[in-house]
Amino acid sequence: MITISGLKDNILKEIEHLESEMIKSLCRIVRFPAVSPHNGGRGEEAKAQEISKILIEQGLTEGAELEWIRIPDEKSHTGNRPSIILRTPGKTQQRLWILCHIDVVSAGDRSSWNNDPFEPVIKDGKVYARGTNDNGQAVIAMIYALKALKNLKIVPEYEICLGFVADEETGSHYSIEPMVNNGIVDFREDDMILVPDGGDSKGDFIEIAEKGLLQIEFTIIGKQTHASSPNLGSNACRAANILSVTLDEELHKAFPDCDELFTPNKSTFEPTRRYTNVVSINIVPGVERISFDCRVLPHIKLDDVIKIAEKVMESVMSQTGVKVKLNVINRSDAAPCTSPDSTVAKILSKAINEVLNVKPRFGGVGGGTFSAFFRHKGISSVVWEQNTEGQTHQPNEYAIIKYMLNNAKVFALLMSGA
């Protein structure tokens, strides 16, 4: 009879045996540039088909249910955005979901890459390519965690639901959002959700909370004129400068609260994008557009942030005579935190400790994942993986092979209940 300790050892060793297959599979999927059609790409169809092939080749669809979910998107060349769910029966009806996104951001400036961003290079224990770290290594880790159990003829403790999801990078409007909010997928309140889309190199950080997100854009409308006769126009550039500085000061003054669950521990209000106005230095611009990115502590209402912005707009219009319009580009109100005492948080903590020999710590982040959609519905959801900080969306992105193996080990222990 195999003891619990022996079972764990067998699982961890099997993951090690699968290393070369995992590397090959990671290289296979990152060759498909699954960039959103809303950002000039062709979407996830080809990559999803390749992932489906891997699942079938590894025998993971035998005795399981493979479901394709296609959310209509008129900008996609296929007319939709594809996601895949693989459901594998377990000993109990309790469900463990592991959900990864398969879309990626664009390569950006190709001259900043040492190699073709969509042709993987293996070097010094790393795999270089766009999408290796975000979210390719986790996609492969969850596939081969289940493969290890199948090879060892271990029936999972829970029903294992693996989700390979489209459209995370541009807001999840064609994937998780309608799946959760419109009932396209049968998520239940007692489901355990793990989203491997954030973490650190030590692997000890479990994200249980996210700040609210508010991205707003201001259009300042004045009157263009020659710079030698500013009295004949209304300088939108000056008004934009006043608005930006004043709003920055007023927001920080209005919302100084701290929450040590987060790093940074305060709400952040950052002036970011500013569009090109005029091409000549001797023209007073008549139109300016500037943006703010706000990451707001969960107890602060985003409507209160907007009220401050509107107050500053009124003041700027009164001072300068310009018109100012506000447009909310993105808004995501903060969801309730997942409890550290939730079942998914506890079993994940145990598995992390078994594999990495670290005591996990819980915290919140300023970035957004689709974990928030579940928290809004009262479903416990945590975000974790061991990954390399600073790689997300960067040139020469890479995944560390050892981390991919460690993630697979943690996932496999979770699935087995060991």
Side-chain angles (χ1 to χ4, degrees):
M1 181 178 178
I2 299 178
T3 64
I4 293 294
S5 177
L7 180 65
K8 291 176 183 176
D9 288 343
N10 288 346
I11 291 172
L12 301 186
K13 288 177 183 176
E14 185 62 24
I15 297 292
E16 296 284 349
H17 293 155
L18 292 169
E19 178 179 344
S20 61
E21 286 188 52
M22 293 173 68
I23 296 170
K24 290 177 184 176
S25 292
L26 178 59
C27 290
R28 283 174 63 177
I29 68 171
V30 298
R31 288 191 173 99
F32 296 90
V35 177
S36 169
H38 295 259
N39 284 336
R42 289 181 61 80
E44 303 87 357
E45 182 67 31
K47 189 172 185 178
Q49 293 289 352
E50 191 69 12
I51 290 170
S52 178
K53 288 180 185 177
I54 293 171
L55 295 173
I56 294 168
E57 290 167 5
Q58 297 302 325
L60 297 179
T61 58
E62 298 170 8
E65 178 187 348
L66 185 66
E67 178 184 7
W68 283 76
I69 297 172
R70 296 183 180 277
I71 308 295
D73 180 359
E74 62 182 14
K75 287 201 172 184
S76 171
H77 74 285
T78 61
N80 63 72
R81 306 291 289 282
S83 298
I84 305 171
I85 294 177
L86 179 70
R87 302 172 189 258
T88 302
K91 295 176 184 176
T92 69
Q93 292 185 339
Q94 174 71 60
R95 300 193 303 193
L96 171 65
W97 291 81
I98 305 179
L99 297 155
C100 279
H101 69 86
I102 61 175
D103 60 321
V104 301
V105 296
S106 67
D109 179 8
R110 296 240 175 172
S111 67
S112 299
W113 288 77
N114 296 333
N115 303 285
D116 183 334
F118 294 104
E119 185 55 46
V121 172
I122 303 168
K123 182 180 179 182
D124 299 328
K126 302 171 184 174
V127 181
Y128 290 83
R130 171 60 83 226
T132 49
N133 185 69
D134 181 26
N135 209 201
Q137 67 168 6
V139 168
I140 298 304
M142 61 198 247
I143 292 173
Y144 282 89
L146 189 58
K147 171 66 173 174
L149 298 194
K150 189 174 185 68
N151 286 355
L152 296 170
K153 296 180 170 55
I154 296 172
V155 177
E157 180 69 19
Y158 318 101
E159 178 183 343
I160 305 302
C161 303
L162 304 184
F164 307 90
V165 181
D167 188 42
E168 188 273 344
E169 297 290 2
T170 52
S172 299
H173 305 302
Y174 302 96
S175 59
I176 287 294
E177 181 180 24
M179 287 182 198
V180 175
N181 294 339
N182 299 345
I184 293 174
V185 176
D186 61 331
F187 294 110
R188 304 191 305 237
E189 283 192 11
D190 66 340
D191 283 344
M192 301 182 292
I193 310 288
L194 169 59
V195 179
D197 192 22
D200 58 20
S201 58
K202 190 175 180 181
D204 67 341
F205 179 70
I206 300 175
E207 183 246 284
I208 58 171
E210 296 172 12
K211 293 179 180 178
L213 169 66
L214 183 66
Q215 293 173 324
I216 49 180
E217 180 181 274
F218 300 91
T219 302
I220 298 92
I221 304 170
K223 182 181 178 182
Q224 182 174 307
T225 186
H226 196 282
S228 65
S229 53
N231 55 302
L232 299 180
S234 182
N235 196 322
C237 180
R238 178 179 290 112
N241 293 342
I242 294 170
L243 189 150
S244 181
V245 171
T246 305
L247 182 59
D248 193 356
E249 292 174 348
E250 291 299 316
L251 288 174
H252 284 95
K253 187 194 307 182
F255 307 109
D257 308 37
C258 297
D259 186 338
E260 298 308 320
L261 191 65
F262 295 90
T263 303
N265 64 358
K266 294 183 178 181
S267 298
T268 58
F269 307 99
E270 293 300 306
T272 54
R273 182 172 57 191
R274 188 159 187 165
Y275 290 86
T276 301
N277 47 27
V278 290
V279 295
S280 299
I281 197 171
N282 61 348
I283 296 176
V284 170
V287 178
E288 285 274 5
R289 280 195 294 163
I290 61 173
S291 301
F292 267 70
D293 182 297
C294 310
R295 310 295 171 121
V296 185
L297 293 176
H299 69 277
I300 297 171
K301 295 179 180 179
L302 297 186
D303 285 339
D304 291 340
V305 176
I306 292 174
K307 287 178 183 177
I308 298 290
E310 290 173 339
K311 183 179 178 181
V312 171
M313 286 168 53
E314 292 292 335
S315 175
V316 170
M317 287 190 286
S318 176
Q319 289 179 58
T320 64
V322 301
K323 293 181 180 179
V324 183
K325 297 179 181 179
L326 184 152
N327 183 29
V328 176
I329 304 299
N330 283 306
R331 174 175 179 162
S332 179
D333 294 81
C337 299
T338 295
S339 171
D341 294 322
S342 63
T343 302
V344 66
K346 286 182 176 179
I347 64 173
L348 177 60
S349 296
K350 179 184 175 185
I352 293 169
N353 183 258
E354 291 282 353
V355 174
L356 300 178
N357 194 31
V358 295
K359 182 180 179 180
R361 56 192 174 89
F362 296 96
V365 298
T369 70
F370 49 62
S371 189
F373 292 106
F374 297 100
R375 294 182 185 136
H376 276 298
K377 293 292 185 180
I379 303 173
S380 294
S381 179
V382 293
V383 178
W384 175 86
E385 67 174 325
Q386 185 182 27
N387 70 13
T388 308
E389 302 103 313
Q391 285 300 302
T392 302
H393 302 181
Q394 296 299 310
N396 301 307
E397 176 184 349
Y398 63 82
I400 295 178
I401 294 168
K402 181 180 179 181
Y403 292 176
M404 181 170 64
L405 294 175
N406 287 342
N407 291 335
K409 291 174 182 178
V410 170
F411 299 162
L413 292 187
L414 276 178
M415 295 174 182
S416 71

